[in-house]
Amino acid sequence: MSEKKVPERRCIGCMQSKPKKELLRIVADEDGLHIDKSGKMPGRGAYLCRNGECAQLAVKKNAFGRNLKVEVTRQQAESLAEQIAQLCR
Ligand SMILES: [Zn+2]
């Protein structure tokens, strides 16, 4: 293994591990779910591939609440998936 190790995270949609910088970081606070574009928002983060499909998968599996250890409503999850779909179009 001569390659330099890059930090990897697992997408909560497709469950594949990818380099952290290829993924979107999602954080939750009392207002709901947010895309952490800076990568510096406080709190527990979940990671998603940069495509709407993985976001939809995560909504279907209720993966946001499970991974972020917070209550996430279906509406909050779907609104986030919509934002990601627009971002990655
Ligand atoms: Zn994915």
Side-chain angles (χ1 to χ4, degrees):
M1 289 269 274
S2 57
E3 270 179 67
K4 202 178 161 191
K5 264 266 184 203
V6 293
E8 290 203 335
R9 292 292 182 274
R10 184 180 287 181
C11 168
I12 62 170
C14 65
M15 305 305 283
Q16 286 180 38
S17 291
K18 301 198 174 180
K20 201 174 158 187
K21 61 173 187 284
E22 288 179 20
L23 300 168
L24 290 169
R25 183 169 185 260
I26 310 301
V27 293
D29 67 12
E30 58 271 22
D31 298 324
L33 298 166
H34 306 278
I35 302 167
D36 180 7
K37 296 195 181 86
S38 68
K40 292 183 171 64
M41 282 172 77
R44 197 183 169 88
Y47 292 85
L48 272 175
C49 299
R50 293 175 178 273
N51 67 59
E53 283 157 44
C54 286
Q56 284 298 339
L57 266 174
V59 172
K60 284 197 193 110
K61 296 195 290 186
N62 191 25
F64 294 110
R66 200 147 21 94
N67 282 277
L68 293 165
K69 314 274 189 222
V70 291
E71 286 286 326
V72 175
T73 66
R74 181 85 182 188
Q75 197 186 359
Q76 287 172 334
E78 281 177 352
S79 138
L80 183 86
E82 178 64 24
Q83 285 178 55
I84 291 172
Q86 283 179 14
L87 194 72
C88 305
R89 191 171 298 177

